[in-house]
Amino acid sequence: MISKQIIKKLGSLKLAVVLISVISCVLIAATLVEAKYSTEMAVNLIYGSWWFSSLLFLLSLNVISSALVRYPWRRSQYGFLMTHSGIVIILVGAIVGLLGGREGYITLSENGAAVDSLTTGREVLQIGRSGEKSYLRVPLNLDRIKKSTAPIRISSESILPPETLQASIVSRYAHTEDRTVVSQGESGFNPALEISIRPPSADEVDDIREWMVSNDPERQILQMGPLFIRLMKAETEERLQTLLNPPAVSETGGLGKLNFKVEGVPFELNVHQWLGKEMKSEDGKITIALKEYFADFRMAEEEGKPVSASDQPNNPAIRYEVSWGGEAEPKTAVGFAFADYPDLAMMHVEGAGEKAVEVLYDFDRSMMDVGIFAENSVVFLIAGPGEQLHYVARRPGEERHSGPVELGKILPLEGWKMNPGLSVVQYLQNAEVRQVVTPIPLEEDSGFSRPALELQLTGGGHSTNVVIQWNRPFEVMAGADPENRVPVTLLYTDERIPLGFKVQLLKFNMPTFEGTQMPASYESLIRVTDQETGEALERKVWMNHPMSYGGYRISQSGYSQGMGAARSTLQLLADPGSWLKWLGSILLMLGITVMYFWNPDKKKSSEANSNKETDQTTA
Amino acid sequence: MKNRTFMGLKTWALIVWVFLAAIQQGSGAVRPEIPVDVMGRLILQDGGRKKPFDTYSRENLVKLTGRAKWISPEGKRWSAIEVMTDLALGTNNWLGEKIIRIGYIPLKEQLGLETTEKFFSYRDIRSQSEVSSKLMGILNPRDGSTPSTQLATEARKLVGQLNQLEKLTGAEAFAWIPVSGGGRWLHVEDAPQTYSTRGPDILLAYRAMQQAYRLGDVPEFQKQTRAFRSHLESLGGPELYPSKRMKMELIYNYVHPFRWAWIVFLVSFVLLLFPGTSCQRGSKSYCIAMSLFGTAILLQICGFALRTLISGRAPVTNMYEVLIFMALGASVIAYIYEIMYRQKVLVQAASVVAALTLILADNLPAVFDPSIQPLVPVLQSNWWLTVHVITITIGYGAFLLAMGVGHIAMARYLFYTTDRKTIDNLTRFNYRTMQIGVLFLAAGTLLGGLWAEKAWGRFWGWDPKETWALIALLLYLAVLHARYVRWIGGFGLNAASVLAFQGIVMAGYGVNYLLGTGKHSYGFGVGGELIVGIFVLLELILVLLAVMRHKQSIKSSKGTQA
């Protein structure tokens, strides 16, 4: 009885008029907010708010109830019923779309790599065990993070064992920068020097201080105008001596030497002499071929193969092949030897153990005389072995001179026209380098900066605050039991949704209206490949002509042309509720037509009606 | 020998004429007394399409002067094609002519210009370093502040006018020579390079045409212009130089179907004021009025047909086209009513609102741009575009008619003692018209959603345009439902039909011209705030007065009953 009363109230026309009026006013306010401020503001304040959704929910209750109240329905009410069910179906479609829909963008370069996931424009925090594929995706509500004073807890039980790690979001910084902090650690030999530069001519100015770290390629070389400073490490006394007294270029041909040990048998090959040739041992059992020389070794990202980025010996490397063991037991080793990274073994051995072949590429003996170093003033700082510290310095066209370095004392480079006033302040043998992230105010324009998230991590009884930067994986050892800790990786990044298929841009086209630069169309020729079956489709996507694939509607959204390859941005939208919207719309349109313009009782009652002075309402 | 003397004479005459023109420069441009309509059929490439010189002239003059004609300070009337022909062929110095209209008074104040003047010359602004630097100062303020948006908009518009005039005084503006393959058309001087065989002849014909114009030699000018055109036609097929299609555009330009439509509507309205409701009963005025009303509808349909043929798509892409379509919608609905129910008052209402809407569209070319533009990529879907916009606009048209009926009712409340029967009749048809409006507006809005779903998968996105269409729809739904529960009576419904129409004004005009955000940006424009503002204000005052009067009459009728 009571429920009938409630439905009657809910379905009343008066409530309908009030609701419609209120919703109209709210919408007017929303469009004004959007025009005055921004679309995001209107969405945050109104369209996306809980109370606006409640209003729409109330409206649909009103629409449903008003239909239920009138049961059993007469023939003349069919139009009214269709109209109202159309409205409800559209609203249900909206809810289905909201819950199950996915949308985002992919940006493709012409003939570039295929993309298999879309970015939604939202930010997420990913938490997962290091090295494992599955991870927890926490969508971030930036507005909430901004407003909230207390840390926002994230429940990570679904991906990590309970009590392993409890993370809470403390705050988000729009801009951060990292500072390098170098300290003495317990790990291996990794010399680091804090150097100071203060030219005597500029004694009013503070000195420039910088850390140089020998294991970090970005911190090995420091350039100060025409002066190059390079930090090198010498593990042994013997290496120190070769670094201090390198043989002349004429002896090495400028490309250094390769020292091989094949099953304990040593070989020394002058690269200049042997490049592109095969060297056979005296018994003919061992063959060494130096295949290729890379002055500036890089892995080319797109082709996935090594290239030389320049002809400067910034990262000299040799590709070699060694074969031995004869026909009965053929053994081969192929790989790369790096002059600057003797520890980095990129070698593939077949038929023998990993340690069967040892390679050392001795390039740096003549480094001072080739490439950038040949034409500039150069100071090599040589750290090791142990606490020893030496320097070798040379100006172009002059003899090199060398000597020991005393901490805190300016290097004796008096003969130089521009004395850099270089001194070593600190020397750490086993350096550990950490990046410390500090938030910086928005106004400050420091060139490159990135957003970061400050987290409070709790586990094993204590908690720490860490700042993790955009797109930089952050690893922590988590777990209550110190013996059994789990490596956990945290990543603050764009939300990405895997598509299940790959999209590649073959060609982007922008025809213009005749005689103008005005675009007449934007057309992307794309190839879509199913990741499971490998089936590929090629389609042209342009305005009003989207492609439907895998539940998504793929449509042209943006482009950029100019420098380099053309780029095209496609919008991908999956809406599982779209058929409801079509159905609801059609029902609604039919319903209004029937309701207003078709009266089944009219023929019978037309006589009676014609005399009536009051308005005719068929609903 | 004879010929040479003749040429010599011509040259002499030219020199004298140029000299005279130079003397007269201070006192305004001299118009050679020569009919230049023959120029109108030449074709130019502009704004991404080919158009007759006639259209090019009209569009440019509207851009410069905001008017269809220019009246020189001496009071001489120049048509658009006369001004543009003179720019192309003549010797007048147009940079010194007061041809640039600045309407916005704060801008004139800011620039230190005479606020009572409406027209200024290029030199008045660009050659006065003070004015020129002030103009730049408005656009790029030194303190980095953002100037009041309308001032900046008007300043930007002025810079556009100045640049356009500067361009028109150079040869680059007149790209007469067609180039195949969608490339940029060439100036006549470049013809010999591109077309080695016909090029020299083209250039010669052009020079002869120019000379004849300067000399005022009418037959020679017409002959040479035709020769020039036929040379150009012979460069490629009708695809390259579509003279026939351009003819259609010329007819459209000259006939002015929409202007004639509002004139005919007004005449028919006046005749409808005479008594008589049927042809059979021998009421001549009614008979003529109804035929005129039908003629006006036919004129509008012809106008639409021409625009469709010219542009190759349904004419439903900007505010101008929406306005004229609304007028058509309102008048057609009223005509059908008249045929079915014999409701003369509806035709009266329709003829007024249709005429007013057409007058508005016809007389504000700077606000409601009547030019035909190529279709932006996002709209390039003929079926959806046509169905979606036409449906919505018919809805607008119905509400326009309802608003007109509402006005008649308001007038009755205000100025006549309430005749219940008439009012009830008006109310009934107003209600019915609003139902038609609701059907079409709802269908049009939903069709827009379905189009968006088809085109990129999003049915609804709270875009300001669609939100306002929904608001307008909801307003009318509130009215219809309130009427259904008898919260409002006949008076309320009529008043509401006037008030709710302001929602349509906002959805149609406001979103494009005032809010200026969202996905429907291709229809955006500026200007007209004052006129629309006054209209809305007057409507509110009218309804308020009627409400007061209505209350008074209820009181007095109660008083007499008591």
Side-chain angles (χ1 to χ4, degrees), chain A residues 13-14 20 24 31 103 513-516 518 520 544 546 553 555 571 573 578 581-582 596 615 617 619, chain B residues 45 48 50 182 184 375 378 380 431-432 435 451 453-456 458-459 468 474 481 483-485 487:
Chain A
L13 263 162
K14 289 181 180 172
I20 291 172
S24 304
T31 58
E103 65 167 290
F513 289 115
E514 57 170 288
T516 66
M518 289 189 291
N544 282 310
R553 195 139 291 176
S555 57
Q571 185 187 53
L573 232 149
S578 68
K581 292 168 187 172
W582 278 85
Y596 288 164
D615 59 274
T617 49
Chain B
Q45 184 194 49
K50 303 177 182 78
R184 210 183 179 82
L375 202 55
V378 68
Q380 283 166 10
Y431 189 84
R432 202 81 184 124
Q435 284 185 328
W451 181 10
E453 205 284 324
K454 200 102 185 74
W456 60 81
R458 190 196 314 284
F459 176 78
W468 265 101
L474 289 177
H481 281 87
R483 171 69 179 156
Y484 192 67
V485 279
W487 269 8

Side-chain angles (χ1 to χ4, degrees), chain A residues 13-14 16-18 20-21 23-24 27-28 31-32 34-35 47 52 56 70 84 90 103 105 513-516 518-522 543-546 553 555 571 573 575 578 581-582 585-586 588-589 592-593 596-597 602 612-619, chain B residues 45 47-50 182-185 374-381 384 421 424 428 431-432 435-436 438-439 442-443 446-447 450-451 453-459 462 464 467-468 470-471 474-475 477-478 480-487 515 517-518:
Chain A
L13 263 162
K14 289 181 180 172
V17 176
V18 171
I20 291 172
S21 311
I23 291 175
S24 304
L27 290 178
I28 291 172
T31 58
L32 294 180
E34 179 167 0
Y47 298 131
F52 185 68
L56 291 182
R70 282 163 179 75
H84 280 211
I90 291 176
E103 65 167 290
Y105 296 89
F513 289 115
E514 57 170 288
T516 66
M518 289 189 291
S521 181
Y522 315 93
M543 287 281 178
N544 282 310
H545 296 84
R553 195 139 291 176
S555 57
Q571 185 187 53
L573 232 149
D575 180 2
S578 68
K581 292 168 187 172
W582 278 85
S585 300
I586 293 165
L588 185 48
M589 286 188 258
I592 301 177
T593 317
Y596 288 164
F597 304 102
K602 203 175 179 178
K612 271 189 186 171
E613 287 295 309
T614 51
D615 59 274
Q616 307 172 322
T617 49
T618 48
Chain B
Q45 184 194 49
R49 73 177 184 104
K50 303 177 182 78
R184 210 183 179 82
W185 285 25
L375 202 55
V376 293
V378 68
L379 295 181
Q380 283 166 10
S381 175
W384 281 109
K421 208 176 162 189
D424 280 346
R428 210 178 88 196
Y431 189 84
R432 202 81 184 124
Q435 284 185 328
I436 295 175
V438 162
L439 168 64
L446 290 172
L447 285 168
L450 295 179
W451 181 10
E453 205 284 324
K454 200 102 185 74
W456 60 81
R458 190 196 314 284
F459 176 78
W462 296 116
T467 307
W468 265 101
L470 180 65
I471 293 168
L474 289 177
L475 288 177
L477 280 179
L480 293 186
H481 281 87
R483 171 69 179 156
Y484 192 67
V485 279
R486 307 272 160 191
W487 269 8
L515 295 183
T517 56

Side-chain angles (χ1 to χ4, degrees), chain A residues 530-592:
Chain A
D530 191 306
Q531 277 177 329
E532 270 181 27
T533 63
E535 252 175 83
L537 277 176
E538 280 179 23
R539 282 278 186 291
K540 194 168 80 170
V541 169
W542 74 105
M543 287 281 178
N544 282 310
H545 296 84
M547 173 183 182
S548 293
Y549 192 91
Y552 285 94
R553 195 139 291 176
I554 306 172
S555 57
Q556 182 68 44
S557 170
Y559 75 100
S560 73
Q561 273 181 322
M563 303 281 280
R567 291 159 79 81
S568 173
T569 302
L570 303 175
Q571 185 187 53
L572 278 84
L573 232 149
D575 180 2
S578 68
W579 67 277
L580 288 168
K581 292 168 187 172
W582 278 85
L583 179 70
S585 300
I586 293 165
L587 254 180
L588 185 48
M589 286 188 258
L590 280 176
I592 301 177

Side-chain angles (χ1 to χ4, degrees), chain A residues 301-568:
Chain A
E301 260 178 50
E302 294 195 350
E303 293 107 66
K305 64 172 190 184
V307 293
S308 186
S310 69
D311 50 9
Q312 300 294 335
N314 295 332
N315 183 19
I318 300 286
R319 185 162 66 85
Y320 57 81
E321 282 180 27
V322 184
S323 49
W324 72 100
E327 277 177 28
E329 274 181 275
K331 298 166 187 171
T332 54
V334 291
F336 293 90
F338 298 94
D340 291 349
Y341 306 96
D343 306 333
L344 182 67
M346 263 176 79
M347 192 195 294
H348 178 70
V349 187
E350 263 177 39
E354 287 281 314
K355 299 275 176 194
V357 178
E358 283 174 41
V359 198
L360 185 71
Y361 185 12
D362 218 353
F363 187 89
D364 45 21
R365 300 178 190 213
S366 53
M367 272 203 62
M368 216 172 232
D369 300 316
V370 291
I372 41 169
F373 299 121
E375 289 128 37
N376 289 287
S377 302
V378 190
V379 177
F380 279 18
L381 295 166
I382 303 157
E387 288 179 13
Q388 293 187 61
L389 209 54
H390 290 86
Y391 77 92
V392 186
R394 203 225 42 220
R395 288 206 300 159
E398 283 180 19
E399 285 297 305
R400 63 168 66 85
H401 59 99
S402 57
V405 177
E406 264 187 77
L407 288 185
K409 271 206 174 170
I410 290 180
L411 289 176
L413 302 170
E414 283 88 5
W416 290 25
K417 207 189 273 170
M418 290 274 285
N419 191 332
L422 173 68
S423 63
V424 177
V425 183
Q426 266 191 83
Y427 169 32
L428 302 176
Q429 287 185 49
N430 309 318
E432 255 181 20
V433 182
R434 270 183 309 129
Q435 301 291 327
V436 175
V437 179
T438 41
I440 49 173
L442 251 172
E443 294 81 43
E444 209 174 296
D445 184 24
S446 67
F448 181 79
S449 59
R450 46 172 86 197
L453 215 53
E454 187 175 347
L455 300 177
Q456 189 182 56
L457 302 177
T458 314
H462 53 94
S463 74
T464 44
N465 275 27
V466 293
V467 179
I468 62 171
Q469 272 181 310
W470 183 255
N471 268 344
R472 278 201 184 156
F474 185 88
E475 195 169 274
V476 283
M477 298 302 289
D481 176 11
E483 294 297 305
N484 201 10
R485 286 199 169 159
V486 203
V488 174
T489 303
L490 301 160
L491 181 63
Y492 169 43
T493 184
D494 265 328
E495 183 179 41
R496 286 180 171 280
I497 299 176
L499 292 171
F501 54 87
K502 284 190 299 185
V503 189
Q504 200 179 5
L505 179 66
L506 302 177
K507 181 99 193 97
F508 177 75
N509 236 344
M510 191 180 72
T512 54
F513 289 115
E514 57 170 288
T516 66
Q517 300 296 313
M518 289 189 291
S521 181
Y522 315 93
E523 304 167 353
S524 294
L525 181 65
I526 56 170
R527 180 189 291 144
V528 179
T529 316
D530 191 306
Q531 277 177 329
E532 270 181 27
T533 63
E535 252 175 83
L537 277 176
E538 280 179 23
R539 282 278 186 291
K540 194 168 80 170
V541 169
W542 74 105
M543 287 281 178
N544 282 310
H545 296 84
M547 173 183 182
S548 293
Y549 192 91
Y552 285 94
R553 195 139 291 176
I554 306 172
S555 57
Q556 182 68 44
S557 170
Y559 75 100
S560 73
Q561 273 181 322
M563 303 281 280
R567 291 159 79 81
S568 173

